[in-house]
Amino acid sequence: MIVWVLYDIENDRARTKVSKFCQQAGLSRVQYSVFLGTIDAHRRDTLALQVEEVIDANKDKVYILPMSKDEVREAVCLGQALDEKLVTDQVQSLFF
């Protein structure tokens, strides 16, 4: 499945760990606090458990959102929506 991971995490250490968890899951960074990629349901659940252990549930926000390939292709990206310095070929192939 294709998933977006978006987060707003106050603590630098927790934010860095979540970023590493996303990368280890095979997701690609498309913005500083946004990851996108294809993972299976088991890996998504593992990622959610890892993230839940390091964030402060009273302050932080993390969204793990599934999206179909058709929905990704229909997405409208305006302006500098995808940072060319961060976007990988894997992410580009999802959009184009």
Side-chain angles (χ1 to χ4, degrees), residues 71-89:
E71 290 170 322
V72 171
R73 288 190 186 102
E74 290 180 29
V76 177
C77 300
L78 305 171
Q80 297 298 311
L82 294 175
D83 187 338
E84 293 179 18
K85 295 176 205 155
L86 298 175
V87 175
T88 66
D89 289 339

Side-chain angles (χ1 to χ4, degrees), residues 3 19 31 44 76:
V3 296
S19 171
Q31 295 288 331
R44 182 206 51 208
V76 177

Side-chain angles (χ1 to χ4, degrees), residues 35-67:
F35 285 81
L36 172 65
T38 304
I39 59 175
D40 62 30
H42 174 73
R43 188 66 193 116
R44 182 206 51 208
D45 294 344
T46 300
L47 175 61
L49 290 172
Q50 290 174 312
V51 169
E52 192 172 36
E53 289 180 10
V54 299
I55 66 168
D56 182 338
N58 294 315
K59 296 179 182 178
D60 300 328
K61 301 169 199 71
V62 179
Y63 303 92
I64 301 175
L65 307 168
M67 183 180 257

